[in-house]
Amino acid sequence: MIQIEALTKSFRGQSVLRGVSLTVPTGAITVIIGRSGGGKSVLLKHVIGLLRPDSGRVLVDGEDVTQLSGEALDRVRRRYGVVFQGGALFDSLTCGDNVAFPLREKLRLPRRDVGPRVEAALAQVGLEGVGAKYPAEISGGMRKRVAIARALVTEPEIIFFDEPTTGLDPILVNTIHRLIRALHERYHFTAVIVSHEIPSIFEIAHRVAMLGDGRIVEEGPPDTLQASANPLVQQFIKGEPEP
Amino acid sequence: MKATPALLRPVELLGGGAVSVVEALGRFGAFFLEAVVVLFTPPFKIRAFLDRIHYIGYRSLLIILLTGAFTGMVLGLQIFITLSRFGSEAFLGPAVALSLIRELGPVLAALMVTGRAGSALTAEIGIMRITEQIDALTVMALNPMRYLVVPSVLAGLLTFPLMTALFDVIGIFGGYLVGVRLLGLSAGTYFGEMQTFVALEDIMTGFWKSVSFGVIVTWVATYKGFHVGHGAEGVARATTQSVVLASVLILVWDYFLGSVLP
């Protein structure tokens, strides 16, 4: 379980997170929604230990990652898989080598075990045969799927998706969402997805939390959130412009 | 917080500037120290090291050969003209060799590699930073220093002396082409006097300079890449700063070493 407690963060005097508290249950898909520039990715970076908060805690199974560094933080990170907004594939490596990278470097698997696992991971995301291509040679949607395969190949307990469908067409958005749901049904990992794909993201979420004005303004199952009387939530879900 | 009186604002600005400079120097030093610590901690990334030798060394060969040859030719011509005024053309060989081995070889080779490989290294690492590839390494619990910085610094340490040696040899040959083939000095005089006047300590001076330049250029290039600003403009700015800072440090350090080494 991940517990975020009263997290605050400012950049050059501008407050981005103003006391975010959220619980991410183990084995569930938790989606964080909110307006662009609202601090969703900043929140995610705190959970994966890329940013330090001004105050507050992030507890992963009781261990405060904001207080960890070096090997202790790496021990927690070995349980993570992360799909970055732009994929963050290593552009000097082929797609196959990108997926193989965490197996070789993180798990230190012998060469003979890496190949079959890479092929299986690429097949799971529907990308058989693209292993020899470089990230620059494939489409944006394919890059996202390679990134998902790379995050998944080590079978992590917790996977973070930072806007995994940004910039994709609606068909690809649904394809990626279904892929995440299918993979979750198979591996039962804890998923945290930052997204503003409304309403399609509600189809795969077990819990949804809305970040607004630097705080969690509403959280609960998708139905509860959609029926929320909170004007901020309704404005966001309906995509109404500012009055 | 109480506002600073107008009269004291320049002092405050000066103090703020000084603090920023000291902080930046501290970060620069801490970055290098971390690289040194990682360097002596396994696992060692041999493949990344070989890739960097290819990237920094092999791909800089053409520019080193070209600039080395023309530097030697210019030296041959100018020193011959100067020496001929005193009737001392016989010393052309040692004059060209000493200028190249002690000074121009290490400095010009380092400046050339800074322009070619140092800038490319900063841009590559900077793009990896802004596209979150470095973050991806970090969240895989892998130290980016081990994959990007240490192999580059080690490759600089190895390739700079080799490229400097090549620069020197080609430069001496360039001096031979102009002095002997074009201006009529005998080949025996050119090379014979060189053996008399060039000592091992001259070669070692050039060697230590090139080794330290290798560290300086790769240190600056990787540091600037790691600490890049936002977007394409940030990468462009970091690349320019990397080349300017490395070039200035090469010249400053060259003077310092020239004063200390025999």
Side-chain angles (χ1 to χ4, degrees), chain A residues 82-131:
Chain A
V82 181
V83 178
F84 285 92
Q85 210 171 91
L89 296 176
F90 303 123
D91 43 24
S92 59
L93 301 180
T94 62
C95 295
D97 283 338
N98 262 285
V99 179
F101 193 83
L103 294 175
R104 289 184 189 134
E105 303 293 330
K106 190 173 164 185
L107 302 188
R108 296 173 177 272
L109 289 187
R111 188 183 288 260
R112 65 176 181 280
D113 296 344
V114 171
R117 281 184 68 166
V118 169
E119 281 172 27
L122 285 172
Q124 272 176 348
V125 297
L127 290 177
E128 299 95 333
V130 302

Side-chain angles (χ1 to χ4, degrees), chain A residues 10-14:
Chain A
S10 299
F11 294 103
R12 294 183 183 180
Q14 193 184 345

Side-chain angles (χ1 to χ4, degrees), chain A residues 13 17 34 37-38 46 76 99 101 110 146 181 203 206 218 220 222-223:
Chain A
L17 303 179
H46 280 88
V76 178
V99 179
F101 193 83
V146 174
R181 186 169 59 190
E203 290 172 24
H206 296 129
E218 190 85 48
D223 294 345

